[in-house]
Amino acid sequence: MPPHRPARRRLRRPGKGKDPDVAHYVLASPMAFTKLEEICGQAKALLDYNAARNFTLCVLIGDREGRTRAVVVGDAVAEILNGRGIPATIQHHHLTN
C-alpha cells in the first residue's frame, strides 16, 4: 500500500483537522506553502489598503466537508499572520474545543 494511504484514512476520523498526522499530510502537498503565502499576502494587502478605515478582515477557508484541509490551512494562516505581527484569531464553526 502506498505510504500516503494511511494518512488519507486518518482524514475520515473525527477532529481530523487537528490530528498532527493529517496536518503533516495536508502541508506536504506540493503547493501548500505557495497557497499559504498567497493567502497571507492577499490578507496583508487588504489590511494595508484599508488601514485608514480600521476594518476587520475575515478570511474564510473551506473544503468539501470543512473539517480537514480547511482546519489545517486556517490554523496555518493564523499562525503565519500572528508570526508576522498581524493579530489573527481562528474559529472553526464545527469544532467545540
Side-chain angles (χ1 to χ4, degrees):
M1 180 176 293
H4 65 282
R5 295 291 184 212
R8 285 186 64 90
R9 270 190 235 114
R10 285 196 270 298
L11 290 174
R12 297 185 184 113
R13 294 195 314 227
K16 50 199 161 190
K18 293 293 188 176
D19 184 320
D21 291 337
V22 172
H24 176 75
Y25 174 78
V26 171
L27 295 175
S29 56
M31 294 295 291
F33 288 98
T34 301
K35 289 298 177 186
L36 289 172
E37 188 60 39
E38 185 179 305
I39 293 166
C40 292
Q42 290 172 347
K44 172 91 169 80
L46 287 167
L47 287 168
D48 289 347
Y49 180 77
N50 291 299
R53 296 182 188 117
N54 200 25
F55 284 155
T56 298
L57 176 66
C58 293
V59 178
L60 305 175
I61 299 171
D63 60 39
R64 187 179 304 188
E65 295 177 21
R67 291 186 293 249
T68 52
R69 291 166 185 85
V71 172
V72 174
V73 172
D75 287 347
V77 167
E79 185 176 337
I80 292 167
L81 292 175
N82 282 318
R84 294 179 181 177
I86 301 169
T89 58
I90 189 156
Q91 178 182 9
H92 299 292
H93 63 89
H94 64 284
L95 297 178
T96 57
N97 59 345

